[in-house]
């Protein structure tokens, strides 16, 4: 390796390390702010808090790493251009492509390391983070519930007005919304109590919530669809009511900006195996639902068949209106049966559609998790080929203009990436396109910058082919008016 290559790599790595440490520290502070409600006032020792943040920290590396490479590339190559070091290189016959050669290999190695990190380290950190969080909840049960806001635990949303006691186990003003597990009917049970007590055991996966002096309100969903328009409900009061909360549900919880979900804990082979199982289950449910609909219709219409005389009449003479073969009473029964069957089928289709959409979204999320591991590696190379040429073009080092360009580019990249992921989760576009949308759109920009920087064209784009015809037309109009 030549002295020049060592100098360029050293300059870049020093800047990159500095920027990465600063940004990493800022995002860790953001994480502390996100989890402050879970950490503050829980009498946790310093070592536990450090472990909590250590297991959370790897999840922010995919966000910090591309931004650090982008900013370091702009600052390093901008400083080279500003201090006329590039001019010295070019006068010695060294092009920008040659100057970037060894650094490109270094970034490629960094991209490979980032993939290994995303595929192995982050899933392990997520797993340990969830287990540590579960352990803290077992030791400090009240940690699972924050005052004055609804907290999703398992299939319930819980809100308490006030907590007291050494571990916050004594609750006042408890409100619970219990979600319905059947056919997506939503939260159909509401429980309110004046007081509550939250306890747990170290070797148990359950929290025990004892409610005192309250009542519950429950919507009832009759089997017959037409009776549901009457909105029946049941209401009862209680002196003591005990509820067991499954802590394993924390593994499926989603936290603001943290996005702790089960697919984040899996490697690529594990994700492929899970997707295969989910896809088979999805296909089986689709076939089962279609068969049930067909079988239901057959059963309904086979209950009311024409008698033998009518059948012989149908065979002898073709009849366009089948209802004309029945009496008025039979017509009324058939029409009522058809109406009920349509209503029941519509309700069944709606509920199964919701369930299938959820499963499809889950499959798409797992596919996105696979692609994200590769996108992280590619984004390192992409940001380098945007940052390095851009720094050479703007010829500014330091922390002023480079930060402005870096933030605009990265915010655009992150926004497009988030937008694509949302569309892919909703099955509007394929997961591959959703995960790679930002990279696909930003790659031509990187190619353009690299081309213009290596050919000393600059960042300005020539629009004379648009403006010249307009100016000529304006000149002709002016001369005509003067004449």
């Amino acid at each position: 390796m030549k002295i020049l290559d060592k100098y360029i790599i050293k300059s870049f790595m020093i800047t990159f390390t500095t920027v990465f440490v600063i940004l990493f520290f800022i995002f860790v502070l953001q994480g502390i702010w996100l989890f402050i409600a879970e950490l503050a006032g829980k009498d946790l020792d310093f070592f536990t808090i450090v472990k909590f943040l250590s297991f959370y920290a790897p999840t922010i590396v995919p966000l910090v790493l591309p931004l650090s490479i982008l900013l370091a590339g702009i600052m390093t190559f901008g400083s080279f251009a500003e201090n006329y070091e590039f001019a010295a290189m070019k006068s010695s016959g060294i092009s920008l492509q040659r100057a970037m050669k060894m650094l490109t290999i270094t970034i490629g190695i960094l991209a490979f390391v980032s993939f290994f990190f995303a595929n192995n380290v982050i899933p392990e950190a997520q797993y340990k983070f969830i287990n540590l969080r579960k352990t803290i909840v077992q030791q400090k049960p009240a940690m699972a519930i924050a005052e004055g806001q609804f907290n999703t635990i398992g299939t319930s949303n819980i809100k308490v007005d006030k907590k007291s006691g050494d571990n916050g186990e004594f609750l006042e003003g408890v409100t619970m919304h219990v979600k319905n597990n059947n056919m997506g009917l939503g939260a159909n049970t509401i429980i309110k109590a004046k007081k509550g007590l939250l306890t747990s055991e170290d070797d148990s996966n359950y929290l025990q919530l004892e409610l005192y002096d309250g009542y519950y309100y429950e919507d009832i969903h009759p089997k017959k669809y037409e009776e549901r328009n009457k909105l029946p409900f049941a209401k009862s009061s209680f002196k003591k009511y005990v509820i067991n909360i499954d802590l394993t549900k924390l593994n499926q919880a989603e936290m603001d900006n943290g996005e702790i979900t089960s697919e984040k804990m899996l490697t690529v082979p594990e994700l492929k195996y899970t997707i295969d199982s989910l896809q088979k289950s999805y296909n089986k449910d689709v076939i089962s639902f279609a068969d049930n609909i067909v079988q239901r219709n057959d059963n309904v219409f086979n209950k009311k068949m024409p008698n033998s005389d009518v059948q012989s009449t149908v065979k002898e003479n073709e009849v366009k209106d089948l209802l004309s073969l029945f009496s008025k009473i039979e017509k009324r029964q058939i029409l009522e049966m058809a109406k009920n069957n349509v209503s029941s089928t519509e309700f069944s289709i709606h509920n199964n559609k919701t369930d299938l959409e959820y499963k499809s979204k889950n499959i798409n999320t797992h596919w996105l998790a696979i692609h994200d591991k590769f996108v992280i590696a590619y984004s390192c190379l992409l940001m380098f080929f945007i940052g390095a040429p851009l720094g050479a073009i703007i010829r500014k080092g330091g922390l002023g203009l480079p930060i402005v360009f870096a933030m605009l580019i990265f915010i655009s990249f992150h926004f497009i990436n988030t937008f694509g992921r949302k569309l892919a989760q909703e099955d509007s576009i394929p997961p591959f396109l959703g995960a790679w949308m930002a990279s696909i759109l930003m790659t031509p920009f990187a190619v353009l910058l690299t081309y213009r920087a290596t050919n000393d064209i600059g960042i300005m784009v020539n629009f004379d082919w648009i403006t010249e015809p307009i100016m000529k037309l304006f000149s002709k109009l002016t001369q005509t008016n003067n004449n």
Side-chain angles (χ1 to χ4, degrees), residues 117-184:
F117 187 88
N119 189 50
N120 296 276
V121 179
I122 292 179
E124 184 68 18
Q126 287 280 18
Y127 176 78
K128 291 183 177 180
F129 181 82
I130 290 296
N131 281 275
L132 178 62
R133 187 163 174 247
K134 174 183 172 182
T135 301
I136 294 174
V137 171
Q138 287 177 332
Q139 295 174 352
K140 307 283 184 180
M143 179 182 176
I145 302 175
E147 290 185 358
Q149 66 184 37
F150 279 100
N151 305 267
T152 301
I153 301 180
T155 59
S156 302
N157 291 325
I158 305 175
K159 187 186 80 167
V160 298
D161 296 335
K162 185 179 179 181
K163 297 190 298 184
S164 58
D166 295 336
N167 296 325
E169 67 273 18
F170 298 105
L171 312 177
E172 296 183 11
V174 181
T175 303
M176 292 184 63
H177 291 176
V178 182
K179 300 176 184 177
N180 194 332
N181 294 325
N182 298 323
M183 297 187 300

Side-chain angles (χ1 to χ4, degrees), residues 255-300:
M255 300 168 60
D256 294 339
N257 298 323
E259 293 190 42
I260 302 176
T261 53
S262 58
E263 68 273 1
K264 295 290 183 71
M265 304 181 199
L266 303 176
T267 61
V268 171
E270 293 171 341
L271 282 167
K272 288 183 177 179
Y273 179 81
T274 304
I275 289 174
D276 184 63
S277 300
L278 292 174
Q279 190 65 54
K280 288 181 179 178
S281 176
Y282 178 84
N283 295 338
K284 183 179 179 180
D285 289 344
V286 171
I287 295 174
S288 176
F289 172 66
D291 291 340
N292 289 337
I293 291 294
V294 173
Q295 185 177 3
R296 176 186 298 177
N297 291 335
D298 290 341
N299 292 337
V300 168

